[in-house]
């Protein structure tokens, strides 16, 4: 793969942010999903217990990952599945192509899989003459528009229905100007039914893989994964090695958390459990099931005590829906396969230089940590990344210089007090054009606060300091109380 | 072949080179997990909230009446019934070698083993269903579940599934297939069934 450009989140977001009406629309659409999540969560009194269980299960599994992977391989193989291992994206793609060639498969249908996005599987297969059809409606829209998903659960959340209408008019022959979601969905249903029926192989992701039984679980609302895994004779399921859970009963915890967190549904429409290949009623095998276990940097994340918990992620997208930066800057501004808070933690672990601006695309409000169903301390990890980037000298010179300056000021209280006083005065008296101009990022899109008359320190000295009236009276009270207590 | 074996060994070695200690798995025992005084009422309410139609029935006649009131059922040409003693079908899944031949399936009536009150999900046992694709290809789906087989939550549900989970295919279905991928507008009938009718077979003792 060619050297990838460095992502500057603020610059990448500039175009999206410039359209205020669209930014507001995007913000509202995601907040709507966040509110649905909240309503759903409030109906479960044991929600916090579920999060704690999920976190403990994942912590245990990631610690013993090698053992659970081996157990999974043994039981999956016993059930009749073929298990493949891939160290990186390239190995993964090569394995998929090999399976397809062995089965003379030319046309494949794919359901949503962030892992195959991560591996850039589609362009790879297309280069080798395979027709790849994304079958999730949102992903199909994005694929026809030659874009990438901007959200891991809602791939087309950045696209307006009129734009979908134009795309479908061009590719599926829907009526010009038609933008009714029901009509467009029906058109996609017809179009994709045909693709499912003609496909030679189906590719899916995996939500959970059960070590003890060797099975995989796939959760969808549309039913596309099930059609893709039930019509063509070959089913290939790609999964990151962190998708494992030890026991079948652990599914209860995760299926209760996943859809509630993702879209505010009590569970996805379909929760499908696959153990080995398709069989007829006599037990005769009628298809193939291939499972590809992919590392692609996950073991490296596991090495780091600071970022290990990021492997707990079940890809619900709740951290994106709640993130004030994501909601206003759009998924594409992250320039990463997984955007939002979890993406900003994961992406720099793969390539810190390329993704160095992402941990700063965060106000440290902590909302992501609050909603995360598996309790990943996301905002702590983002802060840890900033420290790490500074240590690796990956901060831009402007930020580095500013940090040095601030460090010096913080070490000299008298200087800090004087500077505080100066800036309070300056903010009050400086003419607007000198504050609100294109070089001052803090004056863009917002009004700076009206500076208070005095600093907190000045207020303290006056009201709580040794000579203040209140402190005198507090001392009085203290003197009176003490004898009683003894 | 040797490179594939290498990949496995390299991944496992890498994982083992970093020893991570963690407490054992939690037991998942919790006395305070949600319960519902009225399982049937809760199940129906949740089922409706996820877009299904939920009917409580006492007899095959009652079920047939409800189905015949549905316009798509009256129009249906190809019907698979896995409950012929309840509703007659006209298509037998076992007569098809390839699931692709089921593309024009209009209706399917299937038995559900049990339902889950907290989320309206129904467990479908596929051990006697030829062509699992039929459940996703059918335009309209109806499922009959005995009301006495309702469980409150997913913990009880997976306990109930037990070892049957290792069958080649098993499914929880909750509501009709749906999507909100176009501007968050909910549309029922994405790739799977357009509607889901759930029939709860009333529990005689509870009446």
């Amino acid at each position: 793969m060619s050297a990838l450009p460095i992502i500057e989140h603020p610059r990448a977001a500039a175009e999206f942010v410039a359209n205020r009406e669209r930014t507001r629309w995007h913000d509202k659409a995601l907040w709507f999903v966040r509110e649905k999540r909240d309503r759903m969560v409030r109906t479960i009194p044991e929600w916090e217990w579920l999060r704690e269980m999920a976190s403990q299960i994942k912590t245990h599994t990631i610690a013993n990952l090698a053992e659970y992977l081996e157990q999974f391989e043994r039981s999956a193989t016993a059930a009749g599945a073929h298990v493949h291992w891939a160290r990186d994206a390239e190995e993964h793609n090569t394995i998929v192509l090999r399976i397809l060639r062995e089965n003379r498969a030319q046309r494949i249908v794919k359901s949503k899989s962030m892992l195959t996005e991560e591996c850039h599987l589609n362009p790879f297969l297309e280069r080798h003459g395979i027709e790849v059809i994304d079958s999730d409606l949102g992903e199909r829209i994005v694929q026809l528009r030659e874009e990438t998903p901007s959200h891991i659960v809602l791939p087309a959340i950045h696209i307006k229905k009129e734009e979908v209408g134009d795309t479908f008019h061009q590719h599926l022959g829907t009526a010009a100007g038609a933008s009714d979601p029901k009509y467009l969905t029906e058109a996609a249903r017809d179009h994709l039914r045909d693709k499912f029926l003609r496909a030679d192989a189906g590719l899916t992701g995996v939500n959970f893989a059960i070590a003890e039984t060797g099975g995989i679980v796939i959760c969808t609302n549309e039913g596309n994964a099930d059609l893709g895994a039930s019509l063509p004779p070959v089913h290939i399921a790609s999964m990151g090695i962190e998708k494992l859970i030890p026991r079948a009963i652990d599914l209860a915890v995760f299926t209760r958390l996943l859809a509630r967190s993702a879209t505010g549904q009590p569970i996805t429409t379909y929760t499908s459990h696959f153990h080995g290949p398709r069989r007829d009623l006599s037990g005769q095998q009628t298809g193939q099931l291939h499972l590809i276990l992919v590392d692609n940097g996950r073991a490296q994340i596991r090495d780091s005590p600071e970022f290990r918990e990021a492997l707990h992620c079940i890809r619900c997208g709740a951290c994106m829906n709640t993130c004030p930066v994501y909601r206003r800057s759009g998924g594409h501004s992250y320039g990463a396969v997984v955007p939002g808070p979890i993406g900003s933690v994961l992406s720099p672990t793969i390539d810190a230089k390329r993704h160095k601006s992402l941990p700063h695309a965060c106000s440290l409000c902590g909302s992501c940590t609050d909603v995360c169903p598996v309790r990943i301390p996301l905002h702590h990890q983002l802060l840890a990344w900033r420290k790490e980037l500074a240590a690796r000298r990956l901060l831009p010179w402007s930020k580095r210089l500013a940090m040095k300056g601030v460090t010096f000021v913080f070490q000299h209280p008298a200087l800090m007090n004087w500077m505080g006083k100066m800036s309070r005065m300056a903010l009050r008296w400086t003419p607007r054009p000198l504050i609100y101009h294109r070089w001052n990022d803090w004056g863009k899109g917002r009004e700076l606060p009206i500076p208070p008359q005095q600093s907190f320190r000045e207020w303290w000295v006056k009201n709580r300091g040794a000579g203040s009236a209140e402190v005198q009276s507090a001392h009085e009270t203290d003197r009176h109380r003490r004898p009683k207590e003894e | 072949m040797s490179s594939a074996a290498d990949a496995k060994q390299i991944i496992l070695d890498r994982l083992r080179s970093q020893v991570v200690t963690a407490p054992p798995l939690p037991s998942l025992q919790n006395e305070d997990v949600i319960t519902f005084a009225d399982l049937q009422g809760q199940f129906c309410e949740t089922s409706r909230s996820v877009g299904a139609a939920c009917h409580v029935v006492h007899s095959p006649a009652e079920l047939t009446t409800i189905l015949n009131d549905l316009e798509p059922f009256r129009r249906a040409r190809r019907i698979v019934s896995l409950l012929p003693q309840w509703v007659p079908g006209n298509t037998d899944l076992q007569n098809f070698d390839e699931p692709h031949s089921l593309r024009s399936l209009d209706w399917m009536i299937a038995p559900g083993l049990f339902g889950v009150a907290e989320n309206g999900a129904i467990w479908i046992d596929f051990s006697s269903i030829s062509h699992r694709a039929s459940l996703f290809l059918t335009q309209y789906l109806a499922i009959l579940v005995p009301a006495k087989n309702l469980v409150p939550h997913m913990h009880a549900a997976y306990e109930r599934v037990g070892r049957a989970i290792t069958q080649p295919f098993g499914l929880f279905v909750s509501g009709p297939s749906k999507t909100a991928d176009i501007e968050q507008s909910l549309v029922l009938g994405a790739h799977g069934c357009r509607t889901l009718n759930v029939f709860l077979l009333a529990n005689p003792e509870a009446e």
Side-chain angles (χ1 to χ4, degrees), chain A residues 262-277:
Chain A
T263 52
Q265 294 171 258
I267 190 168
T268 46
T269 297
Y270 302 109
T271 306
S272 309
H273 306 65
F274 300 84
H275 283 80

Side-chain angles (χ1 to χ4, degrees), chain A residues 15 123 129 176 205 221 276 346 351:
Chain A
E15 196 192 339
N221 281 321
L346 291 173
D351 186 342

Side-chain angles (χ1 to χ4, degrees), chain A residues 10 47 61 120 124 135 188 200-201 221 245 266 307 311 316 364 372 456 475:
Chain A
W47 185 256
T61 315
H120 304 286
F124 172 85
S135 61
D200 304 314
N221 281 321
I245 54 170
F307 303 114
L311 293 177
C316 71
L364 294 176
C372 177
F456 177 70
H475 278 241

Side-chain angles (χ1 to χ4, degrees), chain B residues 126-150:
Chain B
F126 279 80
S127 59
S128 57
I129 304 181
S130 344
H131 305 304
R132 67 191 192 206
S134 57
L135 206 103
F136 307 100
L137 279 170
T138 185
Q139 299 288 336
Y140 301 91
L141 179 63
I143 302 174
L144 178 73
V145 196
K148 64 172 174 18
N149 293 357
L150 293 179

Side-chain angles (χ1 to χ4, degrees), chain A residues 225-272:
Chain A
D226 294 288
L227 282 170
S230 302
L231 282 169
V234 181
H235 174 192
I236 304 172
S238 300
M239 57 177 270
I241 52 175
E242 85 286 11
K243 292 284 170 193
L244 278 185
I245 54 170
R247 310 164 294 196
I249 55 162
D250 297 328
L251 286 171
V253 172
F254 292 101
T255 52
R256 296 188 78 195
L257 288 166
L258 178 63
R260 287 187 173 99
S261 300
T263 52
Q265 294 171 258
I267 190 168
T268 46
T269 297
Y270 302 109
T271 306
S272 309

Side-chain angles (χ1 to χ4, degrees), chain A residues 25 29 32-33 36 43-46 49-50 53 56-57 59-60 63 65-70 73 85-87 91 135-138 141 153-157 159-162 164 181-182 184-186 189 192-194 196-197 213 221-224 226-227 229-231 241 246-253 255-256 260 265-279 281 295 299-300 302-303 308, chain B residues 3-4 6-12 14-30 32-34 36 46 49-50 94 98-103 105 118-121 123 126-133 135-141 153-156 158-159 162-163 165-185 187-194:
Chain A
W25 166 80
F32 170 72
V33 184
K36 279 204 293 180
T43 63
I44 305 297
E46 67 273 22
W49 172 78
L50 281 174
M53 288 305 102
Q56 287 184 19
I57 293 166
T59 302
H60 170 89
L65 194 53
E67 289 69 35
Y68 282 123
L69 282 168
E70 285 184 312
E73 184 189 36
W85 301 71
R87 276 174 298 176
E91 281 190 5
S135 61
D136 173 83
L137 176 59
I141 293 169
V153 173
L154 319 159
I157 188 80
I159 302 169
K160 296 205 164 193
K161 59 182 184 212
E162 291 77 15
V164 178
K182 204 168 155 55
L184 296 173
T185 303
E186 184 67 31
R189 177 184 170 102
L192 286 164
R193 273 264 159 150
D194 200 51
F196 282 121
L197 287 158
T213 64
N221 281 321
E222 299 185 3
N224 55 321
D226 294 288
L227 282 170
S230 302
L231 282 169
I241 52 175
R247 310 164 294 196
I249 55 162
D250 297 328
L251 286 171
V253 172
T255 52
R256 296 188 78 195
R260 287 187 173 99
Q265 294 171 258
I267 190 168
T268 46
T269 297
Y270 302 109
T271 306
S272 309
H273 306 65
F274 300 84
H275 283 80
R278 224 150 73 199
R279 292 178 192 279
L281 294 188
D295 178 355
Q300 191 190 323
R302 181 180 171 276
D303 287 348
R308 188 175 298 141
Chain B
S3 112
D6 287 350
K8 173 183 171 183
Q9 209 47 54
I10 290 165
I11 293 171
L12 292 176
R14 172 79 197 250
L15 292 171
R16 291 203 166 103
S17 71
Q18 178 73 41
V19 177
V20 179
T21 50
L25 278 173
S27 75
L28 305 186
Q29 289 303 310
N30 183 352
D32 299 326
V33 174
I34 199 164
F36 305 101
T46 320
S49 78
V50 295
Q94 296 198 48
E98 280 293 311
H100 297 74
S101 324
L102 292 158
R103 64 184 304 171
L105 184 59
E118 72 158 326
N119 57 22
W123 177 257
F126 279 80
S127 59
S128 57
I129 304 181
S130 344
H131 305 304
R132 67 191 192 206
L135 206 103
F136 307 100
L137 279 170
T138 185
Q139 299 288 336
Y140 301 91
L141 179 63
H153 44 63
M154 291 307 283
H155 307 287
Y158 278 106
E159 207 165 290
R163 289 303 295 171
I165 195 131
T166 58
Q167 288 169 0
F169 189 65
L171 174 76
F172 280 112
V173 56
S174 165
S177 89
K178 55 180 83 70
T179 182
D181 273 347
I182 301 176
E183 279 202 19
Q184 283 300 295
S185 321
V187 179
L188 301 183
H191 294 302
C193 58
R194 295 170 183 277

